[in-house]
């Protein structure tokens, strides 16, 4: 990564806007350097009586310098306030815009992207990596600007005094740089290990909290905590290695070399003074200005570790932006109806093909059930119909329109989905149901909840529809979450309904009510239903039996039983399982 690419990365693709924010830091650096010049002027006039005894002290000039300091103080406070506001709000705005853009980008990625990543990985990028970038933008880059400004001012001023002293000031800086570059390379590897361990910690925490009920049930909470503790220890070790293995040596070596520079300046000045080739004032000026030059360089050395981390963080953010989203056509096709057609469709998860040249038709305003053993491709078909993925071969058409030629939002606008694994957000029940239609009134939400047979249990909660559910719906039972999901789909009232075993988590007492709610949901709609309990889809217009990613059979319930194939075998197995009793 060259310097231009690095700067593009750490400014989150907005280098121009960041440079506009950085200019106040440059003004800040210039104004902050003014007192040194005023102090040198005051020292010069204070030396006049010493150099020419009997000469009066130029008090008027000293008052002018005092006035200059007052003016500098006023200007510095104004510019410093502007610099602080830009640092806190200006680049925060850049980070916010980038996070929103990344969120929109992630929304347009296929579900295949998420199947290869865990929540800890993405949360680390969205939170920790952006924080790292923000810290660098507010500290390191302004510090570099300060160094450059001070270098330019120092060279301009010092070279007018004595070129030999100027050379002695800047001689040691190039000697210190190789240590910084060598350490930066070393820290690049250590930083990668640290960020990897940080991702692991985030993933372990989410896994531990999310699975605490299962861990307790199997008496593994303590054992699992040991693995979480081990991930914390790996993170700690990586952080220590980063600081002690690279950052600390750089700081110590850099400080040692620059301290040697101070010694060289003092020695060179002493030699020239004894020869009468250097004015005492110039000697004092070099000693004072040398400190102002070396100080930001020393500070920069302490940021080397941050630089390494930032480069990795910026690259990880850039890698997410580089992920290819689902294609969005400039001119999309408009569906003429709600029938769904799979024309020689194949689909692969990575290198594993799970659908093999499937051709299917789901007629408009009909109910089609998908059945078959686990892993036969049922869920994949419904996800392809909703354009969560694009097929790797063949076409999926909605109302005659190839869904590749439709925007993903336009496809989803026509689809309601009730998943087997329901996820509710950490918000009120009202807002979770309102996700079905953002502009729905409370009365419409209540009507949908009543149809989905969840109004009564909602009203029994402490705050009714204003009750906040835990993340993922953790404060509700599986059946309650499922009914809220159905209410959400009822509120959306889309012409296509995808049901992924919608009654799987329901108790027998409410199953009849939910079946009635589903009947209301699917009336006059195109319905694809995944079913494991075959009794629930006996009345479907068509049943498609899948096996190993291929269509094994299709037809009505009676026709498939008469064929005595896979469906009849599944029916017989479920009938036998239904008569099983404990102790038999």
């Amino acid at each position: 990564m060259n310097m231009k690419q690095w700067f593009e990365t750490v400014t989150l693709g907005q280098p121009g806007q960041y440079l506009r924010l950085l200019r106040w830091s440059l003004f800040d650096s210039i104004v902050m350097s003014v007192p040194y010049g005023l102090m040198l002027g005051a020292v010069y006039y204070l030396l006049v009586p010493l150099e020419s005894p009997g000469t009066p002290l130029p008090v008027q000039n000293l008052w002018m310098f005092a006035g200059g300091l007052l003016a500098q103080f006023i200007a510095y406070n104004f510019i410093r306030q502007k610099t602080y506001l830009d640092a806190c709000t200006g680049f925060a705005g850049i980070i916010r815009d980038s996070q929103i853009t990344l969120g929109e980008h992630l929304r347009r990625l296929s579900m295949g992207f998420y199947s290869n990543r865990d929540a800890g990985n993405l949360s680390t990028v969205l939170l920790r990596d952006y924080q790292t970038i923000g810290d660098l933008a507010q500290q390191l880059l302004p510090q570099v600007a300060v160094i450059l400004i001070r270098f330019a001012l120092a060279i301009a001023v010092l070279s007018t005094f004595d070129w030999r002293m100027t050379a002695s000031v800047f001689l040691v800086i190039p000697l210190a740089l190789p240590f910084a570059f060598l350490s930066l390379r070393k820290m690049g590897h250590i930083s990668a290990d640290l960020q990897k361990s940080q991702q692991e910690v985030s993933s372990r925490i989410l896994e531990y909290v999310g699975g605490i009920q299962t861990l307790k049930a199997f008496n593994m909470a303590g054992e699992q905590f040991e693995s979480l503790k081990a991930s914390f220890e790996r993170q700690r070790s990586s952080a220590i290695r980063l600081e002690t293995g690279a950052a600390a040596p750089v700081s110590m070596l850099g400080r040692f070399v620059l301290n040697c520079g101070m010694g060289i300046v003092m020695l060179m000045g002493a030699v020239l003074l004894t020869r009468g080739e250097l004015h005492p004032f110039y000697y004092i000026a070099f000693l004072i200005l040398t400190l102002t030059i070396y100080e930001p360089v020393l500070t920069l050395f302490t940021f080397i570790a941050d630089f390494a981390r930032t480069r990795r963080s910026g690259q990880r953010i850039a890698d997410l932006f580089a992920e290819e989203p689902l294609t969005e056509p400039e001119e999309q096709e408009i569906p003429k109806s709600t029938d769904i057609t799979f024309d020689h469709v194949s689909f692969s998860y990575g290198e594993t093909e799970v659908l093999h040249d499937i051709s299917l038709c789901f007629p408009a305003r009909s109910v089609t059930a998908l059945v078959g053993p686990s892993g036969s491709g049922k869920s994949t078909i419904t996800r392809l119909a909703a354009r969560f993925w694009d097929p790797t071969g063949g076409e999926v058409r909605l109302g005659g329109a190839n869904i590749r030629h439709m925007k993903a939002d336009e496809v989803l606008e026509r689809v309601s989905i009730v998943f087997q694994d329901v996820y509710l957000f950490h918000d009120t029940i009202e807002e979770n149901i309102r996700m079905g239609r953002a502009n729905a009134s409370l009365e419409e939400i209540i009507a949908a909840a009543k149809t989905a047979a969840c109004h009564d249990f909602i009203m029994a909660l402490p705050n009714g529809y204003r009750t906040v559910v835990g993340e993922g719906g953790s404060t509700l039972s599986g059946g309650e979450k499922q009914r809220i999901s159905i209410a959400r789909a009822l509120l959306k009232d889309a012409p296509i309904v995808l049901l992924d075993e919608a009654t799987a988590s329901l108790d027998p007492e409410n199953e009849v009510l939910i079946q009635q709610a589903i009947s209301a949901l699917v009336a006059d709609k195109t319905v694809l239903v995944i079913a494991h309990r075959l009794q629930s889809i006996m009345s479907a217009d068509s049943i498609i039996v899948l096996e190993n990613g291929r269509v094994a059979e299709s037809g009505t319930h009676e026709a498939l039983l008469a064929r005595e194939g896979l469906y009849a075998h599944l029916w017989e197995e479920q009938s036998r399982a239904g008569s099983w009793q404990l102790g038999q």
Side-chain angles (χ1 to χ4, degrees), residues 58-289:
V59 177
Q60 184 177 358
N61 291 336
L62 294 177
W63 277 112
M64 289 177 58
F65 287 123
L69 284 174
L70 178 62
Q72 185 272 344
F73 176 77
I74 296 172
Y76 178 75
N77 277 279
F78 170 77
I79 293 176
R80 189 62 181 172
Q81 182 180 18
K82 180 64 178 174
T83 303
Y84 179 79
L85 290 175
D86 279 348
C88 292
T89 63
F91 198 76
I94 294 177
I95 291 179
R96 177 204 60 203
D97 293 342
S98 179
Q99 287 175 317
I100 292 174
T101 303
L102 181 56
E104 179 65 20
H105 178 72
L106 292 174
R107 187 179 69 83
R108 294 187 293 111
L109 296 177
S110 74
M111 294 303 296
F113 165 81
Y114 296 97
S115 64
N116 295 324
R117 285 170 173 79
D118 57 35
N121 181 293
L122 292 177
S123 65
T124 298
V125 176
L126 289 168
L127 298 176
R128 192 189 299 274
D129 286 344
Y130 270 104
Q131 182 63 47
T132 302
I133 292 288
D135 291 342
L136 173 114
Q138 295 179 27
Q139 297 180 44
L140 178 57
L141 293 183
Q143 188 71 28
V144 172
V146 168
I147 291 173
L148 295 176
I149 289 294
R150 290 191 179 181
F151 275 8
L153 291 175
I155 291 174
V157 173
L158 295 179
S159 60
T160 62
F161 295 160
D162 189 283
W163 69 268
R164 294 164 297 184
M165 291 292 292
T166 302
S168 66
V169 170
F170 291 95
L171 174 66
V172 296
I173 295 178
L175 299 178
L177 292 180
F179 296 107
F181 290 126
L182 288 173
S183 181
L184 183 61
R185 291 184 60 183
K186 183 177 180 181
M187 279 189 292
H189 301 294
I190 303 176
S191 178
D193 293 338
L194 176 60
Q195 289 186 322
K196 184 178 179 180
S197 64
Q198 289 171 340
Q199 287 180 29
E200 182 184 357
V201 165
S202 298
S203 299
R204 289 285 188 181
I205 291 174
L206 291 173
E207 180 184 50
Y208 187 79
V209 174
I212 188 66
Q213 180 172 295
T214 302
L215 292 171
K216 282 183 173 293
F218 288 92
N219 196 28
M220 291 182 61
E223 179 180 338
Q224 192 70 13
F225 182 73
E226 288 300 320
S227 64
L228 178 61
K229 193 160 63 174
S231 66
F232 280 128
E233 182 58 34
R234 282 190 290 272
Q235 177 181 331
R236 174 179 174 274
S237 298
S238 296
I240 291 174
R241 283 194 299 117
L242 182 66
E243 295 298 332
T244 61
V250 165
S251 180
M252 293 172 60
L253 289 172
R255 190 173 297 275
F256 172 76
V257 172
L258 291 176
N259 284 336
C260 290
M262 281 296 301
I264 292 173
V265 172
M266 294 176 66
L267 182 61
M268 176 64 74
V271 171
L272 295 177
L273 275 174
T274 56
R275 294 179 180 177
E277 299 177 7
L278 185 67
H279 193 282
F281 167 72
Y282 292 165
Y283 184 46
I284 295 174
F286 274 100
L287 292 179
I288 293 174
L289 291 179

Side-chain angles (χ1 to χ4, degrees), residues 32 72 242 263 266 311 315 336 583:
M32 191 168 57
Q72 185 272 344
L242 182 66
M266 294 176 66
R311 185 168 59 177
Q315 187 59 55
K336 298 177 181 178

Side-chain angles (χ1 to χ4, degrees), residues 390-459:
D390 279 334
T392 51
E395 291 184 1
V396 178
R397 292 192 291 271
L398 171 57
N402 187 340
I403 63 171
R404 283 183 182 272
H405 302 154
M406 296 178 63
K407 293 182 178 179
D409 286 347
E410 291 295 328
V411 176
L412 292 172
E413 188 69 27
R414 293 168 167 81
V415 176
S416 288
I417 307 174
V418 180
F419 294 108
Q420 180 178 2
D421 298 321
V422 177
Y423 189 91
L424 300 182
F425 290 89
H426 184 62
D427 205 337
T428 64
I429 290 177
E430 176 186 344
E431 291 304 318
N432 270 284
I433 296 177
R434 185 176 274 119
M435 288 182 65
R437 192 168 77 246
N439 59 355
S441 65
L442 179 59
E443 290 73 19
E444 291 172 316
I445 290 172
I446 293 174
K450 287 181 177 179
T451 306
C454 56
H455 175 73
D456 291 341
F457 87 75
I458 292 174
M459 294 306 297

